[in-house]
Amino acid sequence: MYKAKTLRAWAWGMIGIVGCMAATAGETQEYTGRVYADRTSTLLPLGNGTGVMSIQVSGISTMSGNPPSVFLMRCAGLGLVDAEGKAASDVYCTFDESDNDTFDVKGKLVEGEGMLEVIGGSGRFAGATGSGKFQRTSTDGDKSAGIIQVKVKTK
């Protein structure tokens, strides 16, 4: 009889622990920050007056949050530049908080601003979802700065 009571108490304790873990899962972290990066792009002119642009970006993003963080950032993109020089690009970025904790976004940017979608990550960001936005704040001479806002929901 004693063993059955002990086993039941242990089982209910484990159920309580699992319940607490499930209740704390699904945390949403809101980040707002500045992007400082080096950007390179190449343009393949097309016969119709447009061009295909490939983009590589790497740098850092300092983000407010709890706690504030600095992320290493790497992006790649492909876009189309119209005859007037306006660019629309699809980009994919990874934000590395540490070697193990990263989150990934994809976005559609038009003339340096657009919406982002969180598409996963690793470590504490594994399976992350969310959304955000980006706005380039740099000048014509320096296309490397911007503001990012992103909500990252972890599972």
Side-chain angles (χ1 to χ4, degrees):
M1 183 94 164
Y2 176 74
K3 288 183 182 181
K5 285 182 181 178
T6 302
L7 184 58
R8 275 195 297 263
W10 184 82
W12 281 110
M14 290 304 293
I15 289 169
I17 290 171
V18 170
C20 288
M21 288 171 47
T24 59
E27 176 185 355
T28 298
Q29 181 71 48
E30 293 187 37
Y31 293 107
T32 300
R34 300 217 20 105
V35 171
Y36 305 94
D38 291 323
R39 178 181 180 265
T40 59
S41 61
T42 57
L43 184 67
L44 170 66
L46 299 177
N48 64 5
T50 65
V52 176
M53 178 177 57
S54 66
I55 306 161
Q56 294 287 324
V57 177
S58 62
I60 64 168
S61 180
T62 57
M63 303 246 210
S64 66
N66 190 15
S69 299
V70 175
F71 290 86
L72 295 177
M73 181 189 77
R74 296 180 318 270
C75 302
L78 188 63
L80 190 62
V81 179
D82 67 17
E84 289 79 41
K86 293 177 100 177
S89 306
D90 292 314
V91 297
Y92 292 85
C93 300
T94 188
F95 291 83
D96 300 350
E97 185 176 47
S98 68
D99 288 341
N100 298 322
D101 300 321
T102 68
F103 69 88
D104 306 316
V105 300
K106 71 176 181 177
K108 182 81 164 169
L109 302 178
V110 177
E111 289 297 292
E113 42 181 276
M115 302 306 290
L116 306 172
E117 176 186 355
V118 178
I119 57 171
S122 65
R124 72 182 188 103
F125 297 110
T129 58
S131 62
K133 59 184 176 178
F134 175 79
Q135 180 176 356
R136 188 171 57 219
T137 59
S138 53
T139 62
D140 286 336
D142 175 21
K143 298 185 183 287
S144 62
I147 302 288
I148 186 170
Q149 295 176 314
V150 64
K151 290 182 183 180
V152 181
K153 182 175 181 179
T154 56
K155 295 194 179 243

